[in-house]
Amino acid sequence: MTLPTTARITRTVRFSAAHRYHTPALSDEENRRVFGACNSPHGHGHNYRVDVTLEGAVDPVTGMVMNLADLDRLLKERVVQPLDHTFLNLDVPHFRTVVPTCENLALHVMAELRPLAAQLQGARLLRVRVWESEDLYAEAGGGEG
């Protein structure tokens, strides 16, 4: 029996940030109605968890899809450092014009990581899952796995 030669790995990183749900496309009253407490002008914070899943060939020598030290460096540079201890709406240029929902955070992290394909050592970025709380996450990328 031949073993498969590809595998998936998931690395988790964490960051803390504040945000406010508000869009100029809606009136102040509509923002309050649509976003409720998440529309507070002072914002509120979360301890986010980000799961990044890669898929690729398992190197026959190292037994790895990708060197985890390299992956950790990329995640620190592209996810944790730019987002940790920020007020997303004010400190992250992308979220000055995009409501920083869990869904938009997942899409943003995926967009930040996707151009790094050359640094992923042949692995493919399969999925980004952003957990806003223990009972809410959003996912970008493929849903398989």
Side-chain angles (χ1 to χ4, degrees):
M1 177 176 174
T2 305
L3 292 175
T5 58
T6 62
R8 294 176 181 168
I9 60 167
T10 300
R11 179 59 108 188
T12 298
V13 294
R14 291 175 170 77
F15 68 92
S16 298
H19 64 174
R20 178 187 188 207
Y21 288 3
H22 187 86
T23 176
L26 300 174
S27 69
D28 287 346
E29 181 180 320
E30 289 172 307
N31 271 290
R32 284 190 296 274
R33 183 179 53 75
V34 170
F35 299 126
C38 294
N39 182 246
S40 168
H42 305 290
H44 65 280
H46 295 282
N47 293 315
Y48 291 96
R49 175 180 137 190
V50 179
D51 300 330
V52 176
T53 302
L54 303 173
E55 180 178 61
V58 175
D59 184 288
V61 176
T62 66
M64 296 187 295
V65 168
M66 180 179 178
N67 184 309
L68 291 179
D70 293 339
L71 179 57
D72 290 344
R73 179 184 49 77
L74 293 172
L75 293 176
K76 182 177 181 181
E77 290 173 2
R78 299 304 287 249
V79 179
V80 177
Q81 286 177 339
L83 300 175
D84 193 32
H85 287 82
T86 64
F87 193 113
L88 295 170
N89 306 65
L90 302 175
D91 300 328
V92 179
H94 177 74
F95 291 114
R96 291 181 189 151
T97 58
V98 174
V99 180
T101 61
C102 194
E103 298 92 331
N104 282 332
L105 266 168
L107 292 171
H108 175 71
V109 171
M110 178 64 91
E112 286 295 307
L113 296 176
R114 188 170 276 135
L116 304 177
Q119 297 178 54
L120 298 180
Q121 301 164 3
R124 178 173 69 96
L125 179 60
L126 185 66
R127 176 181 63 219
V128 169
R129 184 177 283 175
V130 175
W131 292 83
E132 188 174 277
S133 64
E134 67 180 37
D135 58 359
L136 175 66
Y137 70 82
E139 194 170 276
E144 60 276 355

